[in-house]
């Protein structure tokens, strides 16, 4: 993207959204190449000894706002999950993939907010060669893989990407390519390749690795800005969105995977969890429909209750349209409430605890000084969705411990206010310690509170009717993965890019 184009983008978004740093646009380069998206990115991994303010996490969320697979031999594909939810360590989750022939490991962030899987390539300009996350950095080399092939502009798979604004044509090379340019000046670009994805499959409780499937993914040849910094380096991004270029969609189109995936992310300091291609089966799971024709995982939130009392909020506040609605996003650390819902929510919490805790306001955010367990003092919160499904939030699902003052713990409301917007985003603060099932085939999403350190039962009904039990860390125990804290979400559409940028205006915490 040229320097003359990007400032115009910033001005446009700012005019629309008050405080912004990104939008998603189509751009034609000076050599005639077309690149469809300008996207926002920010990542940050502080030193383990440093505590990060919730306001910083909110800012990082803002720029990030950015099923059971049946293999040929049967079984469940289980991706090893590392990382942890800890907002003071900027905790997110990542996994390890194997690509090519012979296979090579790549560590990529799990991202439900984007569609494309991309990794750094051997001829990359600016790609870091080491990582402060204590993970080995690898570079994909199509010339070293006996099963690799390039994707031309006329390839139907490139056409699918063009329709979803996930690809562009490098016309001077007849290659299907992409460019993601970010508001902070960083970015990545490259081209698409087809190669083999190696699948870790669990059958009868044992791990096998005898399954492969061809997929299309991005090969990054350029990284700029913060992407070049070794202390923030990962190999790439694993997009779990719904568009045609996502791995989930590719596997389903080949008839080797149902259109459903599930995760259960551990919320303790140890982190990790479960990520499977398939449907986790648990009797307490409730489902709500996905909103049709939306690029993200949008659901219809209808009301909120605190301590059993429904808040007086106009239901239209939660309605879904091009610039409003409720999004389930595992790439977001905290959670965000529509402007008109935030103050009634805070007032209800304050009223419930007014006789037992001392409220304090820090930099515009509601916090409390507490000398005992929050579970003994704060009410349960319920989010009510269409279809009769409700999500029960315990105090630690909407409060975040900030620090301590004179022997008292400072806990703050983890929900942030979406100033002037009717957008609600449910991030890891809400999603942790719950099973989540993304059932794309039936256009619904389900959840249940769950101990994610225990086994889950995963169904392969869509293919064979069999089920498997999957343990958290079953694949990761033999690997070299380390816990990582990283922030990033790539947003594939104009609407999502704009609303995620709104979060740049969030107030800071302590």
């Amino acid at each position: 993207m040229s320097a003359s184009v990007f400032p115009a983008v910033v001005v446009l978004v700012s005019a629309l959204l008050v405080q912004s740093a990104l939008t998603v646009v189509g751009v034609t380069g000076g050599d005639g190449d077309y690149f469809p998206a300008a996207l926002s990115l920010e990542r940050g991994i502080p030193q383990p000894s440093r505590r990060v303010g919730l306001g910083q996490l909110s800012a990082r969320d803002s720029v990030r706002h950015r099923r059971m697979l049946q293999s040929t031999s049967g079984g469940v594909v289980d991706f090893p999950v590392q990382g942890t939810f800890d907002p003071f360590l900027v905790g997110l989750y990542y996994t390890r993939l194997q690509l090519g022939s012979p296979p090579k490991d790549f560590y990529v962030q799990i991202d439900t907010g984007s569609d494309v899987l991309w990794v750094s390539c051997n001829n990359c300009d600016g790609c870091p060669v080491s990582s402060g996350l204590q993970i080995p950095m690898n570079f994909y080399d199509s010339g070293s893989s006996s099963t690799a092939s390039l994707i031309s502009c006329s390839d139907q798979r490139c056409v699918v990407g063009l329709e979803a604004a996930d690809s562009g044509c490098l016309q001077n090379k007849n290659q299907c390519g992409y460019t993601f340019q970010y508001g902070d000046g960083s970015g990545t670009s490259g081209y698409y390749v087809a190669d083999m994805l190696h699948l870790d499959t669990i059958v009868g409780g044992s791990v096998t690795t005898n399954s492969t499937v061809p997929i299309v993914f991005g090969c990054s040849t350029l990284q700029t800005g913060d992407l070049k910094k070794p202390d923030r380096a990962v190999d790439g991004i694993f997009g779990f969105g719904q568009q045609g270029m996502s791995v989930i969609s590719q596997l389903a189109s080949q008839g080797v995977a149902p259109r459903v995936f599930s995760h259960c992310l551990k919320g303790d300091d140890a982190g990790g969890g479960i990520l499977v291609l398939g449907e986790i089966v648990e009797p307490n799971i409730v489902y709500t429909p996905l909103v049709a024709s939306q690029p993200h995982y949008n659901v219809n939130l209808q009301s909120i209750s605190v301590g059993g009392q429904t808040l007086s909020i106009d239901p239209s506040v939660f309605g879904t349209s091009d610039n409003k609605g409720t999004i389930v996003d595992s790439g977001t650390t905290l959670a965000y409430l529509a402007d008109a819902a935030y103050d009634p929510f805070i007032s209800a919490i304050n009223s419930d605890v007014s006789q037992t805790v001392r409220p304090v306001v820090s930099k515009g955010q509601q916090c409390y000084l507490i000398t005992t367990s929050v579970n003994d003092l704060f009410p349960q919160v319920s989010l009510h969705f269409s279809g009769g499904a409700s999500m029960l939030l315990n105090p630690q699902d909407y409060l975040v411990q900030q620090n301590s003052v004179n022997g008292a713990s400072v806990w703050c409301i983890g929900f942030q206010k979406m100033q002037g917007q009717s957008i609600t985003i449910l991030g890891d603060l809400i999603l942790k310690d719950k099973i989540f099932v993304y059932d794309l085939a039936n256009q619904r999403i389900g959840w249940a509170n769950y101990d994610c350190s225990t086994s889950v039962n995963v169904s392969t009904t869509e293919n064979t009717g069999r089920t498997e039990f999957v343990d958290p860390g079953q694949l990761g125990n033999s690997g070299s993965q380390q816990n990582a804290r990283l922030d990033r979400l790539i947003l594939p559409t104009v609407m999502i890019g704009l609303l995620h940028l709104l979060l740049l205006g969030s107030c800071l915490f302590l």
Side-chain angles (χ1 to χ4, degrees):
M1 176 176 290
S2 68
S4 61
V5 172
F6 183 71
V9 172
V10 176
V11 171
L12 170 62
V13 181
S14 298
L16 291 173
L17 300 176
V18 181
Q19 280 197 353
S20 306
L22 90 97
T23 186
V24 181
V25 296
V27 177
T28 301
D31 55 359
D33 295 340
Y34 176 80
F35 299 114
L39 307 168
S40 178
L41 170 153
E42 180 173 331
R43 302 164 56 221
I45 303 90
Q47 296 298 321
S49 61
R50 297 181 58 190
R51 299 180 70 80
V52 178
L54 297 186
Q56 293 176 262
L57 297 174
S58 175
R60 288 167 183 161
D61 280 342
S62 69
V63 290
R64 274 206 324 265
H65 290 166
R66 324 266 177 236
R67 287 177 198 278
M68 182 161 304
L69 173 61
Q70 179 61 39
S71 66
T72 55
S73 59
V76 174
V77 169
D78 175 21
F79 293 99
V81 177
Q82 297 294 317
T84 179
F85 173 82
D86 184 339
F88 301 112
L89 294 176
V90 196
L92 290 179
Y93 300 88
Y94 73 100
T95 187
R96 172 179 52 83
L97 298 177
Q98 289 190 319
L99 298 169
S101 301
K104 181 179 284 189
D105 288 348
F106 297 92
Y107 293 87
V108 289
Q109 183 179 344
I110 301 164
D111 181 12
T112 63
S114 65
D115 299 304
V116 174
L117 165 65
W118 66 263
V119 297
S120 299
C121 277
N122 65 316
N123 58 344
C124 181
D125 180 10
C127 292
V129 297
S130 63
S131 174
L133 301 176
Q134 304 303 311
I135 55 175
M137 300 297 291
N138 281 318
F139 296 85
Y140 177 80
D141 182 4
S142 61
S144 299
S145 175
S146 61
T147 50
S149 61
L150 301 181
I151 305 298
S152 69
C153 294
S154 59
D155 191 297
Q156 180 59 35
R157 292 167 293 186
C158 187
V159 175
V160 169
L162 283 169
E163 293 174 350
D166 284 328
S167 66
C169 183
L170 307 177
Q171 295 176 351
N172 59 334
K173 298 180 180 179
N174 191 28
Q175 284 184 341
C176 188
Y178 62 90
T179 287
F180 301 124
Q181 186 69 43
Y182 306 99
D184 63 355
S186 65
T188 181
S189 62
Y191 54 90
Y192 286 105
V193 298
D195 209 339
M196 305 305 293
L197 169 65
H198 298 255
L199 304 173
D200 289 319
T201 307
I202 296 174
V203 180
S206 300
V207 177
T208 63
T209 55
N210 59 353
S211 301
T212 58
V213 60
I215 63 166
V216 175
F217 58 93
C219 184
S220 176
T221 59
L222 174 66
Q223 293 181 20
T224 61
D226 284 350
L227 286 174
K228 301 172 64 174
K229 297 180 179 179
D231 59 331
R232 302 178 176 183
V234 289
D235 289 325
I237 295 293
F238 192 176
F240 274 84
Q242 305 182 58
Q243 302 297 336
M245 291 295 282
S246 73
V247 171
I248 293 295
S249 295
Q250 290 187 57
L251 296 180
S253 68
Q254 296 180 54
V256 296
R259 286 176 55 80
V260 56
F261 68 95
S262 309
H263 62 66
C264 193
L265 305 175
K266 293 172 63 179
D268 59 19
D269 290 342
I274 293 170
L275 173 64
V276 292
L277 301 185
E279 178 184 356
I280 294 179
V281 179
E282 213 285 325
N284 295 321
I285 292 180
V286 295
Y287 285 91
T288 190
L290 285 168
V291 179
S293 304
Q294 295 295 318
H296 252 49
Y297 295 112
N298 285 72
V299 290
N300 280 314
L301 176 63
Q302 296 179 328
S303 64
I304 300 174
S305 61
V306 175
Q309 300 297 313
T310 301
L311 304 184
S312 297
I313 302 172
D314 188 332
S316 65
V317 169
F318 302 117
T320 300
S321 64
D322 288 342
N323 59 355
K324 59 189 299 187
T326 301
I327 300 168
V328 178
D329 184 2
S330 65
T332 296
T333 302
L334 300 175
Y336 299 81
L337 268 180
D339 191 332
Y342 184 83
D343 288 343
F345 176 74
I346 297 298
S347 296
I349 297 294
N350 287 343
S351 177
D352 191 282
V353 301
S354 61
Q355 302 301 314
T356 56
V357 301
R358 178 187 170 190
V360 294
V361 177
S362 175
K363 299 181 180 179
Q365 302 298 327
Q366 183 63 65
C367 301
Y368 309 89
L369 294 178
I370 300 171
T371 57
T372 186
S373 170
V374 294
N375 291 324
D376 297 333
L377 301 173
F378 284 81
Q380 289 184 326
V381 172
S382 292
L383 308 180
H384 306 288
F385 298 86
S386 62
S390 293
M391 185 183 300
L392 179 64
L393 305 182
N394 293 312
Q396 291 187 349
D397 294 327
Y398 64 85
L399 294 169
V400 178
Q401 185 175 2
Q402 176 71 23
N403 53 22
S404 297
V405 177
N406 297 325
S409 298
V410 179
W411 287 76
C412 300
I413 297 291
F415 277 99
Q416 306 292 283
K417 186 176 185 177
M418 293 292 290
Q419 296 283 351
Q421 296 294 315
S422 295
I423 299 166
T424 297
I425 302 175
L426 307 181
D428 285 342
L429 175 67
I430 307 299
L431 308 186
K432 63 181 173 62
D433 298 320
K434 297 177 182 67
I435 291 170
F436 265 82
V437 179
Y438 302 77
D439 185 354
L440 305 185
N442 295 301
Q443 284 297 286
R444 63 179 186 167
I445 190 167
W447 60 83
N449 289 351
Y450 199 77
D451 180 358
C452 296
S453 65
T454 61
S455 300
V456 295
N457 189 19
V458 187
S459 171
T460 57
T461 300
E462 186 166 320
N463 283 354
T464 67
R466 68 179 294 161
T467 62
E468 293 288 349
F469 284 96
V470 178
D471 292 317
Q474 187 162 1
L475 296 177
N477 291 338
S478 61
S480 59
Q481 300 89 338
Q482 303 290 328
N483 282 350
R485 283 81 179 175
L486 47 127
D487 275 341
R488 177 158 70 208
L489 181 65
I490 298 178
L491 307 176
T493 69
V494 173
M495 188 276 285
I496 297 301
L498 295 180
L499 66 89
H500 281 207
L501 277 183
L502 281 172
L503 303 181
L504 287 173
S506 298
C507 296
L508 297 181
F509 267 86
L510 295 172

